[in-house]
Amino acid sequence: MRLSYRVGAAALIIFAIILIKRHLDLIQDDAQVQSGWHFGSFTGESSDSSSSSSNGNTDTASTKPKSKPKLTGDKTPDDYVNGNQKDDALASRPVYETTPIIVPNDRVIVMAKLASEDTSWVSSDLNEWRNVIYTVDDQTASRHTPKNKGRESLAYLQYIVDHYHDLPSTLIFLHSHKDGWPGAWHTDTMAYSNVDSIRALQTDFVQQNGYANLRCQQTPGCPEEIRPFREPAQSGKTTESVYAQAWVELFNNTDVPEVVAVACCSQFAVSKAQVLQRPLEDYQRYYDWVLNNRLSDDLTAHVMEYTWHIIFGQDPVYCPDAYQCYSDVYGNPYFW
């Protein structure tokens, strides 16, 4: 019995010695390995100091600590030889897949609306365009005009005045109706659809011409909607009777044209370059006129309706052939 106790005790002692020896070996190995991470600097570069071997000699090839894995874009002096980055340094860097940032399309739809109107169709059906929509009869709306004057005119001009120095390349000024008769009667598609017309719009022509009326059918508006000096004034042409004075106030000159004509109805596209042909001060003057003149809302809107094309660089009479207009503006002479 005593012999078996002695054998068991000896086995336990041997097992304990083995465990202690393995533990001491692990401690010694850990003492010889330096951490590859260095927290002394923001860049996370490892220390360049070399550890000394047990014989007192320094072996930098074998004992220099490993560097922290580099992130894309990190550079250290060791990565360059005679000003050129080492190939092996490039090869060792991780390569990440990147998704390019898509810049929003450089074009915008500007619109005026009543608080009661639903214009969600602009974002849902024309989502390839940015949109800026002003509520004209609710000053608590997030984006609004100071008052409801000149129908769409104040909103159109407010956008230009506010964004004159950061305009997109193509601007569309559009009514708040989506489609259908009679609300969109002046929209030149089979369904009277602003969605269809904007999708077909030839922006290259807008850039080339500077201005494009979205209505190609010439009536109403052409061939001679307004004769400011007609005597006597044509019955029912109330805009004609105030146009000469409005011209003087808008353009600050007396060069009132004999005839003014353009297809109705204040829906058009312009290029940034064309807008910038006039200084900001001009648009501020137009804005102040719409806001403060003594004409009615309706009459103010009609004066502007037959002035937009002139503001944007066209002759007072702008009545292109309808088939040519459809070809230029919508890419199809039989668009309607």
Side-chain angles (χ1 to χ4, degrees), residues 226-271:
I226 296 175
R227 285 186 171 272
F229 304 109
R230 191 184 336 237
E231 290 292 348
Q234 189 173 351
S235 177
K237 297 283 187 179
T238 53
T239 305
E240 188 174 83
S241 64
V242 302
Y243 195 85
Q245 181 59 37
W247 176 283
V248 172
E249 294 170 359
L250 284 166
F251 294 105
N252 203 26
N253 65 58
T254 57
D255 301 329
V256 185
E258 293 289 331
V259 181
V260 176
V262 68
C264 80
C265 296
S266 295
Q267 295 195 115
F268 53 88
V270 294
S271 68

Short mmCIF file of all heavy atoms in Angstrom, two decimals, residues 226-271:
data_model
loop_
_atom_site.label_atom_id
_atom_site.label_comp_id
_atom_site.label_asym_id
_atom_site.label_seq_id
_atom_site.Cartn_x
_atom_site.Cartn_y
_atom_site.Cartn_z
N ILE A 226 -50.02 90.87 -78.32
CA ILE A 226 -50.03 92.20 -77.70
C ILE A 226 -49.45 93.23 -78.66
O ILE A 226 -48.34 93.06 -79.18
CB ILE A 226 -49.22 92.20 -76.38
CG1 ILE A 226 -49.90 91.28 -75.35
CG2 ILE A 226 -49.06 93.60 -75.83
CD1 ILE A 226 -49.13 91.12 -74.06
N ARG A 227 -50.22 94.29 -78.88
CA ARG A 227 -49.74 95.49 -79.59
C ARG A 227 -49.89 96.66 -78.61
O ARG A 227 -50.97 97.25 -78.51
CB ARG A 227 -50.53 95.73 -80.87
CG ARG A 227 -50.17 94.78 -82.00
CD ARG A 227 -50.88 95.16 -83.29
NE ARG A 227 -50.39 94.39 -84.43
CZ ARG A 227 -49.36 94.73 -85.18
NH1 ARG A 227 -48.69 95.85 -84.90
NH2 ARG A 227 -48.98 93.98 -86.19
N PRO A 228 -48.83 97.00 -77.89
CA PRO A 228 -48.95 97.97 -76.80
C PRO A 228 -49.46 99.34 -77.25
O PRO A 228 -50.05 100.07 -76.43
CB PRO A 228 -47.52 98.06 -76.26
CG PRO A 228 -46.88 96.78 -76.65
CD PRO A 228 -47.47 96.43 -77.97
N PHE A 229 -49.26 99.69 -78.52
CA PHE A 229 -49.63 101.04 -78.97
C PHE A 229 -50.85 101.02 -79.88
O PHE A 229 -51.11 101.99 -80.59
CB PHE A 229 -48.44 101.70 -79.68
CG PHE A 229 -47.19 101.74 -78.83
CD1 PHE A 229 -46.11 100.92 -79.12
CD2 PHE A 229 -47.12 102.56 -77.72
CE1 PHE A 229 -44.97 100.94 -78.33
CE2 PHE A 229 -45.98 102.59 -76.92
CZ PHE A 229 -44.90 101.78 -77.23
N ARG A 230 -51.60 99.95 -79.89
CA ARG A 230 -52.78 99.87 -80.72
C ARG A 230 -53.81 100.91 -80.27
O ARG A 230 -54.09 101.05 -79.08
CB ARG A 230 -53.38 98.46 -80.63
CG ARG A 230 -54.46 98.26 -81.70
CD ARG A 230 -55.17 96.92 -81.62
NE ARG A 230 -54.51 95.82 -80.98
CZ ARG A 230 -54.25 94.65 -81.57
NH1 ARG A 230 -54.57 94.45 -82.84
NH2 ARG A 230 -53.69 93.68 -80.89
N GLU A 231 -54.38 101.61 -81.24
CA GLU A 231 -55.40 102.62 -80.96
C GLU A 231 -56.60 102.40 -81.87
O GLU A 231 -56.46 102.45 -83.10
CB GLU A 231 -54.83 104.03 -81.17
CG GLU A 231 -53.80 104.46 -80.14
CD GLU A 231 -54.40 104.66 -78.74
OE1 GLU A 231 -55.63 104.69 -78.63
OE2 GLU A 231 -53.62 104.75 -77.78
N PRO A 232 -57.75 102.18 -81.32
CA PRO A 232 -57.99 101.95 -79.89
C PRO A 232 -57.56 100.54 -79.50
O PRO A 232 -57.41 99.67 -80.36
CB PRO A 232 -59.50 102.11 -79.77
CG PRO A 232 -60.03 101.66 -81.08
CD PRO A 232 -59.02 102.10 -82.11
N ALA A 233 -57.38 100.29 -78.24
CA ALA A 233 -56.98 98.96 -77.77
C ALA A 233 -58.05 97.95 -78.12
O ALA A 233 -59.25 98.25 -78.07
CB ALA A 233 -56.76 99.00 -76.26
N GLN A 234 -57.62 96.78 -78.53
CA GLN A 234 -58.56 95.74 -78.91
C GLN A 234 -59.40 95.32 -77.72
O GLN A 234 -58.91 95.20 -76.60
CB GLN A 234 -57.80 94.53 -79.49
CG GLN A 234 -58.68 93.47 -80.10
CD GLN A 234 -57.88 92.39 -80.80
OE1 GLN A 234 -56.68 92.53 -80.95
NE2 GLN A 234 -58.55 91.32 -81.20
N SER A 235 -60.69 95.13 -77.94
CA SER A 235 -61.60 94.78 -76.87
C SER A 235 -61.16 93.47 -76.21
O SER A 235 -60.85 92.49 -76.88
CB SER A 235 -63.01 94.61 -77.44
OG SER A 235 -63.91 94.19 -76.42
N GLY A 236 -61.11 93.50 -74.91
CA GLY A 236 -60.75 92.31 -74.16
C GLY A 236 -59.26 92.14 -73.93
O GLY A 236 -58.84 91.28 -73.15
N LYS A 237 -58.44 92.94 -74.60
CA LYS A 237 -56.99 92.83 -74.45
C LYS A 237 -56.52 93.76 -73.32
O LYS A 237 -55.80 94.73 -73.53
CB LYS A 237 -56.28 93.19 -75.75
CG LYS A 237 -56.59 92.27 -76.93
CD LYS A 237 -55.83 90.96 -76.81
CE LYS A 237 -56.00 90.11 -78.04
NZ LYS A 237 -55.26 88.85 -77.96
N THR A 238 -56.93 93.45 -72.10
CA THR A 238 -56.57 94.32 -70.99
C THR A 238 -55.07 94.31 -70.72
O THR A 238 -54.52 95.33 -70.28
CB THR A 238 -57.32 93.88 -69.72
OG1 THR A 238 -57.10 92.48 -69.51
CG2 THR A 238 -58.82 94.13 -69.87
N THR A 239 -54.41 93.19 -70.96
CA THR A 239 -52.95 93.14 -70.78
C THR A 239 -52.27 94.11 -71.73
O THR A 239 -51.29 94.78 -71.36
CB THR A 239 -52.42 91.72 -71.02
OG1 THR A 239 -53.12 90.81 -70.17
CG2 THR A 239 -50.94 91.63 -70.72
N GLU A 240 -52.81 94.21 -72.93
CA GLU A 240 -52.23 95.10 -73.94
C GLU A 240 -52.24 96.55 -73.46
O GLU A 240 -51.28 97.30 -73.70
CB GLU A 240 -53.05 94.97 -75.23
CG GLU A 240 -52.48 95.69 -76.42
CD GLU A 240 -53.28 95.38 -77.68
OE1 GLU A 240 -54.32 96.03 -77.91
OE2 GLU A 240 -52.86 94.46 -78.41
N SER A 241 -53.27 96.96 -72.74
CA SER A 241 -53.40 98.36 -72.32
C SER A 241 -52.40 98.74 -71.23
O SER A 241 -52.13 99.92 -71.03
CB SER A 241 -54.83 98.62 -71.85
OG SER A 241 -55.11 97.85 -70.69
N VAL A 242 -51.88 97.77 -70.49
CA VAL A 242 -50.93 98.09 -69.41
C VAL A 242 -49.51 97.67 -69.75
O VAL A 242 -48.57 97.93 -68.97
CB VAL A 242 -51.36 97.40 -68.09
CG1 VAL A 242 -52.76 97.85 -67.69
CG2 VAL A 242 -51.26 95.88 -68.19
N TYR A 243 -49.31 97.03 -70.90
CA TYR A 243 -48.01 96.41 -71.18
C TYR A 243 -46.89 97.43 -71.33
O TYR A 243 -45.77 97.21 -70.85
CB TYR A 243 -48.08 95.52 -72.42
CG TYR A 243 -46.90 94.60 -72.55
CD1 TYR A 243 -46.88 93.37 -71.90
CD2 TYR A 243 -45.77 94.96 -73.29
CE1 TYR A 243 -45.79 92.52 -72.00
CE2 TYR A 243 -44.67 94.12 -73.40
CZ TYR A 243 -44.69 92.91 -72.75
OH TYR A 243 -43.61 92.07 -72.82
N ALA A 244 -47.16 98.56 -72.01
CA ALA A 244 -46.10 99.55 -72.26
C ALA A 244 -45.54 100.09 -70.94
O ALA A 244 -44.32 100.17 -70.76
CB ALA A 244 -46.63 100.68 -73.13
N GLN A 245 -46.42 100.44 -70.01
CA GLN A 245 -45.95 100.96 -68.73
C GLN A 245 -45.24 99.87 -67.93
O GLN A 245 -44.21 100.13 -67.28
CB GLN A 245 -47.12 101.52 -67.92
CG GLN A 245 -46.74 102.12 -66.58
CD GLN A 245 -45.74 103.26 -66.70
OE1 GLN A 245 -45.81 104.07 -67.65
NE2 GLN A 245 -44.82 103.36 -65.76
N ALA A 246 -45.75 98.66 -68.00
CA ALA A 246 -45.10 97.55 -67.30
C ALA A 246 -43.70 97.32 -67.85
O ALA A 246 -42.76 97.06 -67.09
CB ALA A 246 -45.94 96.29 -67.42
N TRP A 247 -43.55 97.43 -69.17
CA TRP A 247 -42.23 97.27 -69.79
C TRP A 247 -41.23 98.28 -69.23
O TRP A 247 -40.10 97.92 -68.88
CB TRP A 247 -42.35 97.41 -71.31
CG TRP A 247 -41.04 97.36 -72.03
CD1 TRP A 247 -40.10 98.37 -72.11
CD2 TRP A 247 -40.48 96.24 -72.74
NE1 TRP A 247 -39.01 97.96 -72.82
CE2 TRP A 247 -39.22 96.65 -73.23
CE3 TRP A 247 -40.94 94.97 -73.03
CZ2 TRP A 247 -38.40 95.81 -73.98
CZ3 TRP A 247 -40.13 94.13 -73.77
CH2 TRP A 247 -38.88 94.56 -74.24
N VAL A 248 -41.64 99.54 -69.18
CA VAL A 248 -40.76 100.59 -68.68
C VAL A 248 -40.31 100.27 -67.26
O VAL A 248 -39.14 100.43 -66.90
CB VAL A 248 -41.47 101.96 -68.73
CG1 VAL A 248 -40.64 103.04 -68.04
CG2 VAL A 248 -41.77 102.37 -70.18
N GLU A 249 -41.23 99.81 -66.44
CA GLU A 249 -40.90 99.51 -65.04
C GLU A 249 -40.05 98.25 -64.91
O GLU A 249 -39.17 98.16 -64.05
CB GLU A 249 -42.19 99.37 -64.24
CG GLU A 249 -42.98 100.69 -64.16
CD GLU A 249 -44.38 100.50 -63.58
OE1 GLU A 249 -44.75 99.34 -63.27
OE2 GLU A 249 -45.11 101.50 -63.46
N LEU A 250 -40.29 97.28 -65.76
CA LEU A 250 -39.52 96.03 -65.69
C LEU A 250 -38.12 96.19 -66.24
O LEU A 250 -37.13 95.74 -65.62
CB LEU A 250 -40.25 94.92 -66.48
CG LEU A 250 -41.46 94.29 -65.81
CD1 LEU A 250 -42.26 93.47 -66.82
CD2 LEU A 250 -41.03 93.40 -64.64
N PHE A 251 -38.00 96.82 -67.40
CA PHE A 251 -36.71 96.87 -68.09
C PHE A 251 -35.98 98.21 -67.95
O PHE A 251 -34.87 98.36 -68.45
CB PHE A 251 -36.90 96.53 -69.58
CG PHE A 251 -37.36 95.11 -69.80
CD1 PHE A 251 -38.68 94.83 -70.14
CD2 PHE A 251 -36.48 94.05 -69.65
CE1 PHE A 251 -39.10 93.52 -70.35
CE2 PHE A 251 -36.89 92.74 -69.85
CZ PHE A 251 -38.22 92.48 -70.20
N ASN A 252 -36.64 99.13 -67.29
CA ASN A 252 -36.00 100.43 -67.03
C ASN A 252 -35.57 101.14 -68.30
O ASN A 252 -34.53 101.78 -68.35
CB ASN A 252 -34.80 100.24 -66.09
CG ASN A 252 -34.44 101.51 -65.35
OD1 ASN A 252 -35.28 102.37 -65.13
ND2 ASN A 252 -33.17 101.63 -64.97
N ASN A 253 -36.39 100.98 -69.36
CA ASN A 253 -36.16 101.71 -70.61
C ASN A 253 -37.49 101.88 -71.34
O ASN A 253 -38.51 101.29 -70.93
CB ASN A 253 -35.13 100.99 -71.50
CG ASN A 253 -35.62 99.64 -71.99
OD1 ASN A 253 -36.66 99.53 -72.64
ND2 ASN A 253 -34.85 98.58 -71.69
N THR A 254 -37.48 102.65 -72.39
CA THR A 254 -38.71 102.93 -73.15
C THR A 254 -38.71 102.26 -74.53
O THR A 254 -39.49 102.65 -75.40
CB THR A 254 -38.89 104.45 -73.32
OG1 THR A 254 -37.74 104.99 -73.98
CG2 THR A 254 -39.07 105.13 -71.97
N ASP A 255 -37.87 101.25 -74.69
CA ASP A 255 -37.79 100.55 -75.98
C ASP A 255 -38.89 99.49 -76.09
O ASP A 255 -38.63 98.31 -76.33
CB ASP A 255 -36.41 99.89 -76.14
CG ASP A 255 -35.28 100.89 -76.07
OD1 ASP A 255 -35.48 102.04 -76.47
OD2 ASP A 255 -34.19 100.51 -75.58
N VAL A 256 -40.11 99.93 -75.93
CA VAL A 256 -41.24 99.00 -75.94
C VAL A 256 -41.46 98.48 -77.36
O VAL A 256 -41.58 99.26 -78.29
CB VAL A 256 -42.51 99.71 -75.43
CG1 VAL A 256 -43.67 98.71 -75.34
CG2 VAL A 256 -42.26 100.36 -74.08
N PRO A 257 -41.51 97.15 -77.54
CA PRO A 257 -41.71 96.61 -78.89
C PRO A 257 -43.12 96.89 -79.42
O PRO A 257 -44.07 97.04 -78.65
CB PRO A 257 -41.47 95.12 -78.71
CG PRO A 257 -41.73 94.86 -77.27
CD PRO A 257 -41.33 96.09 -76.53
N GLU A 258 -43.24 96.96 -80.74
CA GLU A 258 -44.54 97.20 -81.37
C GLU A 258 -45.46 95.99 -81.23
O GLU A 258 -46.68 96.14 -81.09
CB GLU A 258 -44.35 97.53 -82.86
CG GLU A 258 -43.65 98.85 -83.12
CD GLU A 258 -44.51 100.04 -82.79
OE1 GLU A 258 -45.75 99.92 -82.88
OE2 GLU A 258 -43.96 101.10 -82.44
N VAL A 259 -44.87 94.80 -81.27
CA VAL A 259 -45.65 93.56 -81.18
C VAL A 259 -44.94 92.60 -80.22
O VAL A 259 -43.72 92.45 -80.27
CB VAL A 259 -45.81 92.89 -82.56
CG1 VAL A 259 -46.65 91.61 -82.43
CG2 VAL A 259 -46.43 93.83 -83.57
N VAL A 260 -45.75 91.96 -79.39
CA VAL A 260 -45.23 90.92 -78.49
C VAL A 260 -46.09 89.68 -78.68
O VAL A 260 -47.32 89.76 -78.65
CB VAL A 260 -45.27 91.37 -77.02
CG1 VAL A 260 -44.82 90.23 -76.10
CG2 VAL A 260 -44.41 92.60 -76.81
N ALA A 261 -45.45 88.55 -78.90
CA ALA A 261 -46.20 87.32 -79.12
C ALA A 261 -45.37 86.11 -78.71
O ALA A 261 -44.17 86.04 -78.99
CB ALA A 261 -46.62 87.19 -80.59
N VAL A 262 -46.03 85.14 -78.07
CA VAL A 262 -45.42 83.86 -77.70
C VAL A 262 -46.57 82.93 -77.35
O VAL A 262 -47.61 83.36 -76.84
CB VAL A 262 -44.45 84.01 -76.51
CG1 VAL A 262 -45.18 84.36 -75.22
CG2 VAL A 262 -43.61 82.76 -76.31
N ALA A 263 -46.41 81.66 -77.64
CA ALA A 263 -47.45 80.70 -77.24
C ALA A 263 -47.56 80.68 -75.72
O ALA A 263 -46.56 80.70 -75.01
CB ALA A 263 -47.10 79.31 -77.76
N CYS A 264 -48.82 80.69 -75.24
CA CYS A 264 -49.00 80.70 -73.78
C CYS A 264 -48.40 79.44 -73.16
O CYS A 264 -47.96 78.55 -73.89
CB CYS A 264 -50.51 80.80 -73.48
SG CYS A 264 -51.36 79.21 -73.63
N CYS A 265 -48.20 79.11 -71.98
CA CYS A 265 -48.87 79.70 -70.85
C CYS A 265 -47.93 79.64 -69.63
O CYS A 265 -48.26 79.02 -68.63
CB CYS A 265 -50.13 78.96 -70.51
SG CYS A 265 -51.42 79.00 -71.79
N SER A 266 -46.75 80.22 -69.75
CA SER A 266 -45.79 80.31 -68.65
C SER A 266 -45.29 78.96 -68.16
O SER A 266 -45.10 78.73 -66.96
CB SER A 266 -46.39 81.09 -67.47
OG SER A 266 -46.62 82.42 -67.82
N GLN A 267 -45.07 78.03 -69.09
CA GLN A 267 -44.33 76.81 -68.80
C GLN A 267 -43.18 76.73 -69.79
O GLN A 267 -43.41 76.68 -71.00
CB GLN A 267 -45.21 75.56 -68.94
CG GLN A 267 -46.34 75.49 -67.93
CD GLN A 267 -46.95 74.09 -67.86
OE1 GLN A 267 -46.87 73.41 -66.83
NE2 GLN A 267 -47.57 73.66 -68.93
N PHE A 268 -41.96 76.71 -69.29
CA PHE A 268 -40.81 76.80 -70.18
C PHE A 268 -39.57 76.25 -69.49
O PHE A 268 -39.56 76.02 -68.27
CB PHE A 268 -40.58 78.26 -70.60
CG PHE A 268 -40.50 79.22 -69.44
CD1 PHE A 268 -39.29 79.49 -68.80
CD2 PHE A 268 -41.64 79.87 -68.98
CE1 PHE A 268 -39.22 80.38 -67.73
CE2 PHE A 268 -41.58 80.77 -67.91
CZ PHE A 268 -40.37 81.02 -67.28
N ALA A 269 -38.54 76.04 -70.29
CA ALA A 269 -37.24 75.58 -69.77
C ALA A 269 -36.17 76.56 -70.21
O ALA A 269 -36.25 77.13 -71.31
CB ALA A 269 -36.92 74.19 -70.29
N VAL A 270 -35.17 76.77 -69.37
CA VAL A 270 -34.06 77.66 -69.70
C VAL A 270 -32.76 77.03 -69.23
O VAL A 270 -32.74 76.16 -68.35
CB VAL A 270 -34.22 79.06 -69.05
CG1 VAL A 270 -35.42 79.79 -69.63
CG2 VAL A 270 -34.34 78.96 -67.55
N SER A 271 -31.68 77.49 -69.81
CA SER A 271 -30.35 77.03 -69.39
C SER A 271 -29.77 78.00 -68.36
O SER A 271 -30.14 79.18 -68.32
CB SER A 271 -29.41 76.94 -70.59
OG SER A 271 -29.13 78.23 -71.10
#
